Amino acid sequence: MAAAVKAKMIVDKSFRIAEVDKRIYGSFVEHLGRAVYGGIYEPSHSSSDEGGFRNDVKELVRQLDVPIIRYPGGNFVSGYNWEDGVGPVASRPRQLELAWRTVEPNEVGTNEFFKWAKDVGSEVMMAINLGTRGIDAARNLVEYCNHPGGSYWSDLRRSHGIEQPHKIKTWCLGNEMDGPWQIGHKTAEEYGRLAVESAKAMKLIDPDIELVSCGSSSSTMPTFPEWEATTLDHTYEVADYISLHQYYGNHDNDTPNYLARSMDMDHFIQTVISTCDYIKAKKRSKKKMMLSFDEWNVWYHSNDADKKIDPWSVAPPQLEDIYNFEDALLVGSMLITFLRHADRVKMACLAQLVNVIAPIMTENNGRAWKQTIFYPYLHASRYGRGISLMPVVDSEKYDSKDFTDIPYLDSAVVYDEEGDALTIFAVNRHLSESLELTVDVRSFEGYRIVEHTVLEHDDLKATNSPAGEKVAPHNGGNAKLEDGIVKSHLGKASWNVIRLAKSH
């Protein structure tokens, strides 16, 4: 039997990257497929509340402790008239939804979604339509949502039974406007001008809101990163964040290469940071632009199935990827990447939350269940809050088709100073060998191992289903702490969460 591959880490409480903004554990609900209708909302379901929202789904969302949810799109928002989704439901129009070629019944809109988000403990990241609309609709929506009263749009909200303003803090200035597929697609100059003028009007209504300028739809776009440089030239002083979107897939079934995709995400983030800092220097600005990675996930399993869907139906099943075990490993590494960039990545939204490329799935009038990717997301959200530390890592490496010098160990460390807790997140990318890990934590004197949680499976393609979970975590990890050194063997192809706490 071959010797285990090896990795060493030094973790010191002085090696601080930044405080983790809890909003990096955000998610996304778009009016797409069964995300809303048949997902979070299904009045005929036995578990539904008086508003028609499924309580079984709400319970799973609460388990994830999702701090912010982007809404209502996505491509959907670029053709959406927000006024269609407020007021008496019976009088709302049914509209042809052009982004996904379905019928939107508008049973769920701004007020219903805000109440649902509040029920699950989440804030709302509201997206405005800068595709078919612009400044006027944007400022009116801010007034409707955030102004206390005494004006047309705020009083309209009150007439709809919402006396107090929603006070939505975070707003996206459109969605993927660089993409030719987008309704109302714009050049960088066109978008930059519209975005900055919309932002100015929105902040005149509510100066306390924060705004996300629209970045590239992915790092593979031919206009990346020129799009960022051109648009930020307009929006730098009015926006607080720039968005990043990225999805990955294992189309050619090359798992060693697939598990290295988080290195591409790291490069994407570094490039956007460099572009932001260039514009900062160009403008002699004192402001540091932060990043909102408000769409990210694995997405490739469902691509062919969606082509068979008839157009102009209500909530057909779309983009319903069924995730396997190796997908969970990559999702874990993507979360690790955010933690290592906690100084600049302040928000991120796993796209999406229910049914559509999602950690939570439902059956219409049936069960709700957890996909494989539910668990790394759960663990990071639950234990990845505090100060992100920079571990000094020495790991054996491998090469793949698209990457070189890929560490077998992918890791991030979070220190909860208030709770006297330390969490090590670690992925072993080796597909056939365990990883012998030693972690020097001598700066954390008096700590002990609380638990070592592991997500592993012999079949990389194993999936979960309503009938049961083949892929679920266990607490049988073997981490031990001796003389300030954590020693562990991380199983082949595994996601690991090693938690320590101070003895009292």
PDB file of all heavy atoms in Angstrom, residues 3-9 394-397 407-410 426-430 432-439 452 478 487-494 496:
ATOM      1  N   ALA A   3       2.297   5.021   0.594  1.00  0.00           N
ATOM      2  CA  ALA A   3       2.236   5.910   1.752  1.00  0.00           C
ATOM      3  C   ALA A   3       1.260   7.047   1.496  1.00  0.00           C
ATOM      4  O   ALA A   3       1.051   7.465   0.356  1.00  0.00           O
ATOM      5  CB  ALA A   3       3.628   6.468   2.037  1.00  0.00           C
ATOM      6  N   ALA A   4       0.674   7.529   2.584  1.00  0.00           N
ATOM      7  CA  ALA A   4      -0.265   8.650   2.466  1.00  0.00           C
ATOM      8  C   ALA A   4       0.472   9.892   1.980  1.00  0.00           C
ATOM      9  O   ALA A   4       1.644  10.098   2.292  1.00  0.00           O
ATOM     10  CB  ALA A   4      -0.912   8.927   3.819  1.00  0.00           C
ATOM     11  N   VAL A   5      -0.223  10.700   1.200  1.00  0.00           N
ATOM     12  CA  VAL A   5       0.331  12.003   0.851  1.00  0.00           C
ATOM     13  C   VAL A   5       0.321  12.865   2.106  1.00  0.00           C
ATOM     14  O   VAL A   5      -0.448  12.618   3.038  1.00  0.00           O
ATOM     15  CB  VAL A   5      -0.469  12.667  -0.291  1.00  0.00           C
ATOM     16  CG1 VAL A   5      -0.342  11.883  -1.569  1.00  0.00           C
ATOM     17  CG2 VAL A   5      -1.930  12.826   0.089  1.00  0.00           C
ATOM     18  N   LYS A   6       1.191  13.895   2.122  1.00  0.00           N
ATOM     19  CA  LYS A   6       1.353  14.652   3.354  1.00  0.00           C
ATOM     20  C   LYS A   6       1.136  16.138   3.136  1.00  0.00           C
ATOM     21  O   LYS A   6       1.370  16.668   2.050  1.00  0.00           O
ATOM     22  CB  LYS A   6       2.760  14.419   3.920  1.00  0.00           C
ATOM     23  CG  LYS A   6       3.006  12.978   4.354  1.00  0.00           C
ATOM     24  CD  LYS A   6       4.377  12.806   4.979  1.00  0.00           C
ATOM     25  CE  LYS A   6       4.581  11.358   5.433  1.00  0.00           C
ATOM     26  NZ  LYS A   6       5.902  11.160   6.060  1.00  0.00           N
ATOM     27  N   ALA A   7       0.684  16.792   4.212  1.00  0.00           N
ATOM     28  CA  ALA A   7       0.530  18.245   4.207  1.00  0.00           C
ATOM     29  C   ALA A   7       0.727  18.758   5.619  1.00  0.00           C
ATOM     30  O   ALA A   7       0.344  18.108   6.596  1.00  0.00           O
ATOM     31  CB  ALA A   7      -0.843  18.644   3.683  1.00  0.00           C
ATOM     32  N   LYS A   8       1.353  19.935   5.704  1.00  0.00           N
ATOM     33  CA  LYS A   8       1.566  20.595   7.000  1.00  0.00           C
ATOM     34  C   LYS A   8       0.989  21.999   6.943  1.00  0.00           C
ATOM     35  O   LYS A   8       1.024  22.654   5.892  1.00  0.00           O
ATOM     36  CB  LYS A   8       3.057  20.660   7.326  1.00  0.00           C
ATOM     37  CG  LYS A   8       3.732  19.322   7.516  1.00  0.00           C
ATOM     38  CD  LYS A   8       5.172  19.482   7.974  1.00  0.00           C
ATOM     39  CE  LYS A   8       6.038  20.134   6.905  1.00  0.00           C
ATOM     40  NZ  LYS A   8       7.469  20.208   7.308  1.00  0.00           N
ATOM     41  N   MET A   9       0.471  22.447   8.081  1.00  0.00           N
ATOM     42  CA  MET A   9      -0.045  23.811   8.196  1.00  0.00           C
ATOM     43  C   MET A   9       0.427  24.423   9.509  1.00  0.00           C
ATOM     44  O   MET A   9       0.564  23.721  10.507  1.00  0.00           O
ATOM     45  CB  MET A   9      -1.582  23.828   8.177  1.00  0.00           C
ATOM     46  CG  MET A   9      -2.229  23.514   6.850  1.00  0.00           C
ATOM     47  SD  MET A   9      -4.031  23.283   6.996  1.00  0.00           S
ATOM     48  CE  MET A   9      -4.521  24.753   7.874  1.00  0.00           C
ATOM     49  N   ASP A 394       2.035  23.730   3.506  1.00  0.00           N
ATOM     50  CA  ASP A 394       3.024  22.988   2.712  1.00  0.00           C
ATOM     51  C   ASP A 394       2.391  21.650   2.371  1.00  0.00           C
ATOM     52  O   ASP A 394       2.270  20.777   3.229  1.00  0.00           O
ATOM     53  CB  ASP A 394       4.318  22.804   3.505  1.00  0.00           C
ATOM     54  CG  ASP A 394       5.379  22.016   2.733  1.00  0.00           C
ATOM     55  OD1 ASP A 394       5.198  21.836   1.514  1.00  0.00           O
ATOM     56  OD2 ASP A 394       6.363  21.581   3.362  1.00  0.00           O
ATOM     57  N   SER A 395       1.963  21.504   1.125  1.00  0.00           N
ATOM     58  CA  SER A 395       1.238  20.298   0.710  1.00  0.00           C
ATOM     59  C   SER A 395       1.871  19.695  -0.532  1.00  0.00           C
ATOM     60  O   SER A 395       2.367  20.428  -1.403  1.00  0.00           O
ATOM     61  CB  SER A 395      -0.221  20.645   0.417  1.00  0.00           C
ATOM     62  OG  SER A 395      -0.914  19.554  -0.164  1.00  0.00           O
ATOM     63  N   GLU A 396       1.848  18.376  -0.621  1.00  0.00           N
ATOM     64  CA  GLU A 396       2.206  17.738  -1.887  1.00  0.00           C
ATOM     65  C   GLU A 396       1.204  18.177  -2.951  1.00  0.00           C
ATOM     66  O   GLU A 396       0.054  18.514  -2.647  1.00  0.00           O
ATOM     67  CB  GLU A 396       2.202  16.218  -1.729  1.00  0.00           C
ATOM     68  CG  GLU A 396       3.318  15.708  -0.810  1.00  0.00           C
ATOM     69  CD  GLU A 396       3.387  14.193  -0.777  1.00  0.00           C
ATOM     70  OE1 GLU A 396       3.301  13.565  -1.858  1.00  0.00           O
ATOM     71  OE2 GLU A 396       3.533  13.635   0.339  1.00  0.00           O
ATOM     72  N   LYS A 397       1.654  18.157  -4.197  1.00  0.00           N
ATOM     73  CA  LYS A 397       0.860  18.731  -5.289  1.00  0.00           C
ATOM     74  C   LYS A 397       0.746  17.769  -6.455  1.00  0.00           C
ATOM     75  O   LYS A 397       1.463  16.762  -6.536  1.00  0.00           O
ATOM     76  CB  LYS A 397       1.500  20.046  -5.770  1.00  0.00           C
ATOM     77  CG  LYS A 397       1.598  21.140  -4.709  1.00  0.00           C
ATOM     78  CD  LYS A 397       2.322  22.360  -5.252  1.00  0.00           C
ATOM     79  CE  LYS A 397       2.294  23.519  -4.263  1.00  0.00           C
ATOM     80  NZ  LYS A 397       3.088  23.238  -3.062  1.00  0.00           N
ATOM     81  N   PRO A 407      -2.389  21.914  -4.892  1.00  0.00           N
ATOM     82  CA  PRO A 407      -2.185  21.264  -3.590  1.00  0.00           C
ATOM     83  C   PRO A 407      -3.264  20.202  -3.341  1.00  0.00           C
ATOM     84  O   PRO A 407      -4.446  20.442  -3.584  1.00  0.00           O
ATOM     85  CB  PRO A 407      -2.316  22.418  -2.592  1.00  0.00           C
ATOM     86  CG  PRO A 407      -2.230  23.675  -3.393  1.00  0.00           C
ATOM     87  CD  PRO A 407      -2.750  23.344  -4.750  1.00  0.00           C
ATOM     88  N   TYR A 408      -2.837  19.035  -2.880  1.00  0.00           N
ATOM     89  CA  TYR A 408      -3.833  18.034  -2.492  1.00  0.00           C
ATOM     90  C   TYR A 408      -4.691  18.559  -1.348  1.00  0.00           C
ATOM     91  O   TYR A 408      -5.881  18.255  -1.269  1.00  0.00           O
ATOM     92  CB  TYR A 408      -3.158  16.725  -2.079  1.00  0.00           C
ATOM     93  CG  TYR A 408      -2.679  15.897  -3.252  1.00  0.00           C
ATOM     94  CD1 TYR A 408      -1.328  15.663  -3.454  1.00  0.00           C
ATOM     95  CD2 TYR A 408      -3.588  15.352  -4.158  1.00  0.00           C
ATOM     96  CE1 TYR A 408      -0.891  14.895  -4.521  1.00  0.00           C
ATOM     97  CE2 TYR A 408      -3.162  14.587  -5.235  1.00  0.00           C
ATOM     98  CZ  TYR A 408      -1.802  14.366  -5.411  1.00  0.00           C
ATOM     99  OH  TYR A 408      -1.379  13.614  -6.485  1.00  0.00           O
ATOM    100  N   LEU A 409      -4.092  19.359  -0.482  1.00  0.00           N
ATOM    101  CA  LEU A 409      -4.832  19.957   0.628  1.00  0.00           C
ATOM    102  C   LEU A 409      -5.357  21.326   0.216  1.00  0.00           C
ATOM    103  O   LEU A 409      -4.590  22.210  -0.184  1.00  0.00           O
ATOM    104  CB  LEU A 409      -3.935  20.125   1.856  1.00  0.00           C
ATOM    105  CG  LEU A 409      -4.555  20.901   3.028  1.00  0.00           C
ATOM    106  CD1 LEU A 409      -5.695  20.104   3.650  1.00  0.00           C
ATOM    107  CD2 LEU A 409      -3.500  21.263   4.066  1.00  0.00           C
ATOM    108  N   ASP A 410      -6.658  21.508   0.318  1.00  0.00           N
ATOM    109  CA  ASP A 410      -7.276  22.820   0.145  1.00  0.00           C
ATOM    110  C   ASP A 410      -7.900  23.180   1.484  1.00  0.00           C
ATOM    111  O   ASP A 410      -8.740  22.424   2.002  1.00  0.00           O
ATOM    112  CB  ASP A 410      -8.336  22.766  -0.956  1.00  0.00           C
ATOM    113  CG  ASP A 410      -8.750  24.144  -1.431  1.00  0.00           C
ATOM    114  OD1 ASP A 410      -8.046  25.125  -1.113  1.00  0.00           O
ATOM    115  OD2 ASP A 410      -9.775  24.247  -2.136  1.00  0.00           O
ATOM    116  N   ALA A 426     -11.103  21.585   5.450  1.00  0.00           N
ATOM    117  CA  ALA A 426     -10.074  20.967   4.620  1.00  0.00           C
ATOM    118  C   ALA A 426     -10.681  19.989   3.621  1.00  0.00           C
ATOM    119  O   ALA A 426     -11.533  19.172   3.980  1.00  0.00           O
ATOM    120  CB  ALA A 426      -9.058  20.237   5.496  1.00  0.00           C
ATOM    121  N   VAL A 427     -10.236  20.107   2.376  1.00  0.00           N
ATOM    122  CA  VAL A 427     -10.584  19.147   1.329  1.00  0.00           C
ATOM    123  C   VAL A 427      -9.319  18.383   0.953  1.00  0.00           C
ATOM    124  O   VAL A 427      -8.275  18.987   0.687  1.00  0.00           O
ATOM    125  CB  VAL A 427     -11.159  19.844   0.085  1.00  0.00           C
ATOM    126  CG1 VAL A 427     -11.318  18.853  -1.072  1.00  0.00           C
ATOM    127  CG2 VAL A 427     -12.507  20.488   0.404  1.00  0.00           C
ATOM    128  N   ASN A 428      -9.403  17.060   0.956  1.00  0.00           N
ATOM    129  CA  ASN A 428      -8.352  16.227   0.372  1.00  0.00           C
ATOM    130  C   ASN A 428      -8.738  15.943  -1.065  1.00  0.00           C
ATOM    131  O   ASN A 428      -9.709  15.229  -1.326  1.00  0.00           O
ATOM    132  CB  ASN A 428      -8.188  14.927   1.159  1.00  0.00           C
ATOM    133  CG  ASN A 428      -7.137  14.006   0.530  1.00  0.00           C
ATOM    134  OD1 ASN A 428      -6.414  14.396  -0.388  1.00  0.00           O
ATOM    135  ND2 ASN A 428      -7.057  12.778   1.034  1.00  0.00           N
ATOM    136  N   ARG A 429      -7.977  16.500  -2.012  1.00  0.00           N
ATOM    137  CA  ARG A 429      -8.290  16.327  -3.433  1.00  0.00           C
ATOM    138  C   ARG A 429      -7.785  14.998  -3.991  1.00  0.00           C
ATOM    139  O   ARG A 429      -8.086  14.672  -5.143  1.00  0.00           O
ATOM    140  CB  ARG A 429      -7.673  17.474  -4.245  1.00  0.00           C
ATOM    141  CG  ARG A 429      -8.296  18.853  -4.025  1.00  0.00           C
ATOM    142  CD  ARG A 429      -7.628  19.824  -4.977  1.00  0.00           C
ATOM    143  NE  ARG A 429      -8.254  21.142  -5.010  1.00  0.00           N
ATOM    144  CZ  ARG A 429      -7.640  22.283  -4.693  1.00  0.00           C
ATOM    145  NH1 ARG A 429      -6.375  22.250  -4.268  1.00  0.00           N
ATOM    146  NH2 ARG A 429      -8.257  23.431  -4.779  1.00  0.00           N
ATOM    147  N   HIS A 430      -6.993  14.273  -3.233  1.00  0.00           N
ATOM    148  CA  HIS A 430      -6.448  13.012  -3.748  1.00  0.00           C
ATOM    149  C   HIS A 430      -7.565  11.979  -3.837  1.00  0.00           C
ATOM    150  O   HIS A 430      -8.287  11.746  -2.865  1.00  0.00           O
ATOM    151  CB  HIS A 430      -5.321  12.501  -2.853  1.00  0.00           C
ATOM    152  CG  HIS A 430      -4.374  11.592  -3.565  1.00  0.00           C
ATOM    153  ND1 HIS A 430      -4.749  10.374  -4.106  1.00  0.00           N
ATOM    154  CD2 HIS A 430      -3.042  11.733  -3.850  1.00  0.00           C
ATOM    155  CE1 HIS A 430      -3.704   9.801  -4.679  1.00  0.00           C
ATOM    156  NE2 HIS A 430      -2.657  10.604  -4.537  1.00  0.00           N
ATOM    157  N   SER A 432      -7.336   8.677  -4.400  1.00  0.00           N
ATOM    158  CA  SER A 432      -7.084   7.284  -4.007  1.00  0.00           C
ATOM    159  C   SER A 432      -6.287   7.139  -2.716  1.00  0.00           C
ATOM    160  O   SER A 432      -6.150   6.023  -2.206  1.00  0.00           O
ATOM    161  CB  SER A 432      -6.346   6.544  -5.123  1.00  0.00           C
ATOM    162  OG  SER A 432      -5.128   7.198  -5.435  1.00  0.00           O
ATOM    163  N   GLU A 433      -5.758   8.239  -2.171  1.00  0.00           N
ATOM    164  CA  GLU A 433      -4.935   8.146  -0.970  1.00  0.00           C
ATOM    165  C   GLU A 433      -5.446   9.102   0.110  1.00  0.00           C
ATOM    166  O   GLU A 433      -5.912  10.201  -0.187  1.00  0.00           O
ATOM    167  CB  GLU A 433      -3.478   8.494  -1.280  1.00  0.00           C
ATOM    168  CG  GLU A 433      -2.822   7.589  -2.303  1.00  0.00           C
ATOM    169  CD  GLU A 433      -2.633   6.162  -1.800  1.00  0.00           C
ATOM    170  OE1 GLU A 433      -2.642   5.961  -0.561  1.00  0.00           O
ATOM    171  OE2 GLU A 433      -2.495   5.251  -2.641  1.00  0.00           O
ATOM    172  N   SER A 434      -5.298   8.662   1.358  1.00  0.00           N
ATOM    173  CA  SER A 434      -5.576   9.565   2.465  1.00  0.00           C
ATOM    174  C   SER A 434      -4.474  10.617   2.544  1.00  0.00           C
ATOM    175  O   SER A 434      -3.395  10.457   1.959  1.00  0.00           O
ATOM    176  CB  SER A 434      -5.682   8.796   3.783  1.00  0.00           C
ATOM    177  OG  SER A 434      -4.448   8.173   4.085  1.00  0.00           O
ATOM    178  N   LEU A 435      -4.742  11.680   3.271  1.00  0.00           N
ATOM    179  CA  LEU A 435      -3.788  12.776   3.407  1.00  0.00           C
ATOM    180  C   LEU A 435      -3.396  12.892   4.872  1.00  0.00           C
ATOM    181  O   LEU A 435      -4.252  13.081   5.739  1.00  0.00           O
ATOM    182  CB  LEU A 435      -4.391  14.081   2.888  1.00  0.00           C
ATOM    183  CG  LEU A 435      -3.459  15.278   2.736  1.00  0.00           C
ATOM    184  CD1 LEU A 435      -3.928  16.188   1.604  1.00  0.00           C
ATOM    185  CD2 LEU A 435      -3.384  16.100   4.026  1.00  0.00           C
ATOM    186  N   GLU A 436      -2.104  12.737   5.136  1.00  0.00           N
ATOM    187  CA  GLU A 436      -1.595  12.839   6.500  1.00  0.00           C
ATOM    188  C   GLU A 436      -1.372  14.319   6.811  1.00  0.00           C
ATOM    189  O   GLU A 436      -0.460  14.951   6.278  1.00  0.00           O
ATOM    190  CB  GLU A 436      -0.292  12.064   6.617  1.00  0.00           C
ATOM    191  CG  GLU A 436       0.254  11.972   8.026  1.00  0.00           C
ATOM    192  CD  GLU A 436       1.547  11.190   8.065  1.00  0.00           C
ATOM    193  OE1 GLU A 436       1.543  10.008   7.629  1.00  0.00           O
ATOM    194  OE2 GLU A 436       2.563  11.763   8.524  1.00  0.00           O
ATOM    195  N   LEU A 437      -2.212  14.856   7.681  1.00  0.00           N
ATOM    196  CA  LEU A 437      -2.210  16.289   7.956  1.00  0.00           C
ATOM    197  C   LEU A 437      -1.716  16.568   9.370  1.00  0.00           C
ATOM    198  O   LEU A 437      -2.182  15.948  10.330  1.00  0.00           O
ATOM    199  CB  LEU A 437      -3.629  16.856   7.799  1.00  0.00           C
ATOM    200  CG  LEU A 437      -3.825  18.335   8.158  1.00  0.00           C
ATOM    201  CD1 LEU A 437      -3.040  19.248   7.224  1.00  0.00           C
ATOM    202  CD2 LEU A 437      -5.314  18.701   8.134  1.00  0.00           C
ATOM    203  N   THR A 438      -0.784  17.520   9.471  1.00  0.00           N
ATOM    204  CA  THR A 438      -0.390  18.045  10.781  1.00  0.00           C
ATOM    205  C   THR A 438      -0.593  19.555  10.762  1.00  0.00           C
ATOM    206  O   THR A 438      -0.212  20.229   9.798  1.00  0.00           O
ATOM    207  CB  THR A 438       1.082  17.723  11.109  1.00  0.00           C
ATOM    208  OG1 THR A 438       1.931  18.280  10.103  1.00  0.00           O
ATOM    209  CG2 THR A 438       1.302  16.234  11.203  1.00  0.00           C
ATOM    210  N   VAL A 439      -1.192  20.062  11.834  1.00  0.00           N
ATOM    211  CA  VAL A 439      -1.492  21.489  11.928  1.00  0.00           C
ATOM    212  C   VAL A 439      -0.914  22.019  13.239  1.00  0.00           C
ATOM    213  O   VAL A 439      -1.308  21.579  14.322  1.00  0.00           O
ATOM    214  CB  VAL A 439      -3.008  21.758  11.874  1.00  0.00           C
ATOM    215  CG1 VAL A 439      -3.268  23.261  11.814  1.00  0.00           C
ATOM    216  CG2 VAL A 439      -3.652  21.066  10.680  1.00  0.00           C
ATOM    217  N   HIS A 452     -14.494  16.157  14.724  1.00  0.00           N
ATOM    218  CA  HIS A 452     -13.953  16.114  13.367  1.00  0.00           C
ATOM    219  C   HIS A 452     -15.037  15.512  12.476  1.00  0.00           C
ATOM    220  O   HIS A 452     -15.284  14.309  12.501  1.00  0.00           O
ATOM    221  CB  HIS A 452     -12.671  15.266  13.334  1.00  0.00           C
ATOM    222  CG  HIS A 452     -12.079  15.106  11.972  1.00  0.00           C
ATOM    223  ND1 HIS A 452     -10.915  14.378  11.742  1.00  0.00           N
ATOM    224  CD2 HIS A 452     -12.461  15.574  10.746  1.00  0.00           C
ATOM    225  CE1 HIS A 452     -10.627  14.409  10.459  1.00  0.00           C
ATOM    226  NE2 HIS A 452     -11.560  15.109   9.833  1.00  0.00           N
ATOM    227  N   ASN A 478     -10.702  11.395  12.688  1.00  0.00           N
ATOM    228  CA  ASN A 478      -9.686  10.891  13.621  1.00  0.00           C
ATOM    229  C   ASN A 478      -8.732  11.959  14.149  1.00  0.00           C
ATOM    230  O   ASN A 478      -7.656  11.637  14.650  1.00  0.00           O
ATOM    231  CB  ASN A 478      -8.877   9.782  12.934  1.00  0.00           C
ATOM    232  CG  ASN A 478      -8.296  10.259  11.595  1.00  0.00           C
ATOM    233  OD1 ASN A 478      -7.871  11.400  11.466  1.00  0.00           O
ATOM    234  ND2 ASN A 478      -8.293   9.370  10.611  1.00  0.00           N
ATOM    235  N   LYS A 487      -3.140  16.330  14.593  1.00  0.00           N
ATOM    236  CA  LYS A 487      -2.740  15.273  13.663  1.00  0.00           C
ATOM    237  C   LYS A 487      -3.982  14.545  13.179  1.00  0.00           C
ATOM    238  O   LYS A 487      -4.857  14.201  13.974  1.00  0.00           O
ATOM    239  CB  LYS A 487      -1.780  14.294  14.334  1.00  0.00           C
ATOM    240  CG  LYS A 487      -0.455  14.921  14.753  1.00  0.00           C
ATOM    241  CD  LYS A 487       0.464  13.899  15.384  1.00  0.00           C
ATOM    242  CE  LYS A 487       1.798  14.539  15.776  1.00  0.00           C
ATOM    243  NZ  LYS A 487       2.718  13.558  16.399  1.00  0.00           N
ATOM    244  N   SER A 488      -4.040  14.324  11.871  1.00  0.00           N
ATOM    245  CA  SER A 488      -5.216  13.648  11.314  1.00  0.00           C
ATOM    246  C   SER A 488      -4.861  12.998   9.991  1.00  0.00           C
ATOM    247  O   SER A 488      -3.967  13.462   9.276  1.00  0.00           O
ATOM    248  CB  SER A 488      -6.350  14.648  11.101  1.00  0.00           C
ATOM    249  OG  SER A 488      -7.462  14.033  10.493  1.00  0.00           O
ATOM    250  N   HIS A 489      -5.569  11.932   9.675  1.00  0.00           N
ATOM    251  CA  HIS A 489      -5.549  11.366   8.329  1.00  0.00           C
ATOM    252  C   HIS A 489      -6.892  11.722   7.679  1.00  0.00           C
ATOM    253  O   HIS A 489      -7.943  11.263   8.145  1.00  0.00           O
ATOM    254  CB  HIS A 489      -5.352   9.850   8.361  1.00  0.00           C
ATOM    255  CG  HIS A 489      -3.921   9.449   8.528  1.00  0.00           C
ATOM    256  ND1 HIS A 489      -3.296   9.440   9.749  1.00  0.00           N
ATOM    257  CD2 HIS A 489      -2.976   9.067   7.609  1.00  0.00           C
ATOM    258  CE1 HIS A 489      -2.034   9.047   9.598  1.00  0.00           C
ATOM    259  NE2 HIS A 489      -1.819   8.822   8.313  1.00  0.00           N
ATOM    260  N   LEU A 490      -6.835  12.551   6.654  1.00  0.00           N
ATOM    261  CA  LEU A 490      -8.046  12.916   5.919  1.00  0.00           C
ATOM    262  C   LEU A 490      -8.281  11.870   4.844  1.00  0.00           C
ATOM    263  O   LEU A 490      -7.400  11.607   4.013  1.00  0.00           O
ATOM    264  CB  LEU A 490      -7.896  14.299   5.280  1.00  0.00           C
ATOM    265  CG  LEU A 490      -7.419  15.444   6.197  1.00  0.00           C
ATOM    266  CD1 LEU A 490      -7.413  16.763   5.422  1.00  0.00           C
ATOM    267  CD2 LEU A 490      -8.268  15.544   7.450  1.00  0.00           C
ATOM    268  N   GLY A 491      -9.455  11.258   4.861  1.00  0.00           N
ATOM    269  CA  GLY A 491      -9.750  10.207   3.905  1.00  0.00           C
ATOM    270  C   GLY A 491      -9.635  10.683   2.468  1.00  0.00           C
ATOM    271  O   GLY A 491      -9.743  11.875   2.167  1.00  0.00           O
ATOM    272  N   LYS A 492      -9.412   9.750   1.568  1.00  0.00           N
ATOM    273  CA  LYS A 492      -9.321  10.103   0.144  1.00  0.00           C
ATOM    274  C   LYS A 492     -10.583  10.858  -0.275  1.00  0.00           C
ATOM    275  O   LYS A 492     -11.691  10.555   0.193  1.00  0.00           O
ATOM    276  CB  LYS A 492      -9.148   8.848  -0.702  1.00  0.00           C
ATOM    277  CG  LYS A 492     -10.351   7.910  -0.659  1.00  0.00           C
ATOM    278  CD  LYS A 492     -10.161   6.696  -1.544  1.00  0.00           C
ATOM    279  CE  LYS A 492     -11.424   5.824  -1.521  1.00  0.00           C
ATOM    280  NZ  LYS A 492     -11.297   4.638  -2.380  1.00  0.00           N
ATOM    281  N   ALA A 493     -10.390  11.849  -1.121  1.00  0.00           N
ATOM    282  CA  ALA A 493     -11.518  12.627  -1.664  1.00  0.00           C
ATOM    283  C   ALA A 493     -12.551  12.922  -0.572  1.00  0.00           C
ATOM    284  O   ALA A 493     -13.660  12.392  -0.588  1.00  0.00           O
ATOM    285  CB  ALA A 493     -12.176  11.881  -2.820  1.00  0.00           C
ATOM    286  N   SER A 494     -12.195  13.799   0.354  1.00  0.00           N
ATOM    287  CA  SER A 494     -13.095  14.048   1.489  1.00  0.00           C
ATOM    288  C   SER A 494     -13.142  15.523   1.851  1.00  0.00           C
ATOM    289  O   SER A 494     -12.206  16.284   1.606  1.00  0.00           O
ATOM    290  CB  SER A 494     -12.654  13.233   2.716  1.00  0.00           C
ATOM    291  OG  SER A 494     -11.342  13.616   3.128  1.00  0.00           O
ATOM    292  N   ASN A 496     -13.630  17.909   5.201  1.00  0.00           N
ATOM    293  CA  ASN A 496     -13.392  17.756   6.629  1.00  0.00           C
ATOM    294  C   ASN A 496     -13.596  19.080   7.360  1.00  0.00           C
ATOM    295  O   ASN A 496     -13.182  20.136   6.874  1.00  0.00           O
ATOM    296  CB  ASN A 496     -11.963  17.281   6.883  1.00  0.00           C
ATOM    297  CG  ASN A 496     -11.673  15.937   6.248  1.00  0.00           C
ATOM    298  OD1 ASN A 496     -11.755  14.906   6.897  1.00  0.00           O
ATOM    299  ND2 ASN A 496     -11.323  15.944   4.961  1.00  0.00           N
TER     300      ASN A 496
END
